[in-house]
Structure formats: C-alpha cells, structure tokens
Amino acid sequence: QSALTQPASVSGSPGQSITISCTGTSSDVGGYNYVSWYQQHPGKAPKLMIYEVSNRPSGVSNRFSGSKSGNTASLTISGLQADDEADYYCNSYTSSNTDVFGTGTKVTVL
Amino acid sequence: EVQLVESGGGLVQPGGSLRLSCAASEITFSSHWMHWVRQAPGKGLVWVSRINSDGSTTNYADSVKGRFTISKDNAKNTVYLQMNSLRVEDTAVYYCANYFYWGQGTLVTVSS
C-alpha cells in the first residue's frame, strides 16, 4: 500500500493553469476509474474536488478538471485564483480492496 | 446541511485503546461506504479503513490490520473505529468521511 506519487509543490500566477500529476500502478490508478482529488486548506478538513477521474461534485468550480492516462491521473486548475492555494491529494481504489492517497501537493499562487 | 461529527479522541498511552465515533445528520449511512482517514501532524492524508452500506464488508490498511476494527450502527447513523494496541505512530487527526462529506476530525495522541 505505497502512497501514490505526487509532486511536492506546484506554483503558478493568478489566471494561469497548472496541472498536478498522481502516479500509481496498474493495481490502483491504472486499473480502475476510481480516482478522486481533494483540496485541503490549513487546519481544515479535505474537500472533494473530483471523483471517478473526471466528475465534479455539485458546487465545485468548472475551473477544476480531472483526467487519467495509464497509471497517471491529473488534476488541472485553470484560471488560478488566490483561494486555490492549498494542499491537494489524489486517492485511488486498489486491487487489494483498499484505498490509497497520494503524497500530497502544495499549490502556491505567486 | 449534511454533518459528520467525530468524537472520542484524546490522549492515550502506548498499548492503550480508544473508540472513535462518527455521527451523521441529513445523510443515511445505510446507502454509503464510510471511511476513516488520518493525518499525522504536518503530514499527508492516509486511508485507514472502510465499511460498506450494510456493514458486511470491511477493509483495513496494513498498518492497522488486526488492531483497529470499524463498525456501524445504521439505526443510530453512527460509524465507529475501535483502536487497540495503539502506537506512538498512530498519533493523528482522524476523519470520518464518505468522501463527498467529511467530519471536522478528532485528535488522537498516543504518548507516555
């Protein structure tokens, strides 16, 4: 149950687009369309941003989008805003009937 | 508004036990998988355990298997996490969630 691999940090200027990668294996990310993404501001509970690879829950801005290719999933934030500055985590179902989170990415808005 | 409220955290000595509870309002556990996720101070999210809608299926992370037990009472709309043989490395904020909704977390500190 090794954590999925994410870049430690990603940054961008307001209005730009950034992409966060989440790399796993064929036993998790690559094997199932059960990848989700979470935003977490300091001291707060995580918030679901994307589920089942590319679906947005009601109320989440369409500036957030998800995709997957092989064993790597991606979260793209377009039109970057100051409030997007937070930690982001991916999550996947695994072949062991467990879930696994990514290592987390700190997004900085310059 | 949907709310998940955890309770039961606190300070416990290594080897001790705690039972966490997660009570839900406005949603019914009977139709959702429920999860426990933890976060050590300054660290990332770690999945701990899950239970299916009728409580017949449970899964655990290797790090807690054999020590933690997840259960639920659909009549009380409450999910539990019984934690035994606690270790210093179990120190974390514990969240319950169905992933769409999350509780505020409860802090478990394992220390002598």
Side-chain angles (χ1 to χ4, degrees), chain A residues 2 5 16 18 32 35 42 49-50 60 69 71 77 98 105:
Chain A
S2 299
T5 301
Q16 287 187 329
I18 61 169
Y32 308 92
V35 176
M49 306 303 286
I50 296 289
V60 172
S69 177
N71 296 336
I77 309 174
T98 63
T105 298

Side-chain angles (χ1 to χ4, degrees), chain A residues 8-106:
Chain A
S9 62
V10 173
S11 62
S13 299
Q16 287 187 329
S17 293
I18 61 169
T19 296
I20 303 168
S21 61
C22 170
T23 301
T25 69
S26 58
S27 296
D28 38 64
V29 174
Y32 308 92
N33 287 324
Y34 291 117
V35 176
S36 50
W37 288 90
Y38 302 86
Q39 176 192 67
Q40 187 180 35
H41 286 108
K44 301 295 187 181
K47 175 186 176 183
L48 178 67
M49 306 303 286
I50 296 289
Y51 67 98
E52 292 176 5
V53 177
S54 59
N55 295 297
R56 269 189 315 276
S58 174
V60 172
S61 170
N62 59 9
R63 298 185 299 104
F64 292 84
S65 61
S67 63
K68 190 184 82 167
S69 177
N71 296 336
T72 298
S74 299
L75 174 71
T76 297
I77 309 174
S78 58
L80 201 61
Q81 300 179 358
D83 190 53
D84 298 333
E85 187 161 294
D87 294 325
Y88 291 82
Y89 296 90
C90 61
N91 172 287
S92 176
Y93 175 74
T94 83
S95 61
S96 300
N97 293 320
T98 63
D99 285 10
V100 62
F101 280 93
T103 50
T105 298
K106 181 177 180 60

Side-chain angles (χ1 to χ4, degrees), chain A residues 1 38 40 45 48 97 99, chain B residues 39 47 50 59 61-62 99 103:
Chain A
Q1 293 175 348
Y38 302 86
Q40 187 180 35
L48 178 67
N97 293 320
D99 285 10
Chain B
Q39 187 169 35
W47 180 83
R50 67 175 190 163
N59 301 108
D62 287 345
Y99 286 166

Side-chain angles (χ1 to χ4, degrees), chain B residues 50-110:
Chain B
R50 67 175 190 163
I51 188 167
N52 71 339
S53 56
D54 66 4
S56 62
T57 300
T58 59
N59 301 108
Y60 299 92
D62 287 345
S63 59
V64 307
K65 197 175 296 183
R67 300 188 299 122
F68 290 11
T69 302
I70 190 172
S71 61
K72 66 188 316 194
D73 184 335
N74 283 341
K76 295 184 177 180
N77 242 18
T78 301
V79 176
Y80 304 98
L81 186 68
Q82 177 66 44
M83 304 186 296
N84 298 331
S85 303
L86 282 162
R87 304 168 180 168
V88 170
E89 55 265 35
D90 294 319
T91 294
V93 172
Y94 284 73
Y95 295 100
C96 75
N98 70 354
Y99 286 166
F100 283 82
Y101 299 103
W102 291 70
Q104 84 288 350
T106 187
L107 177 62
V108 172
T109 303
V110 185

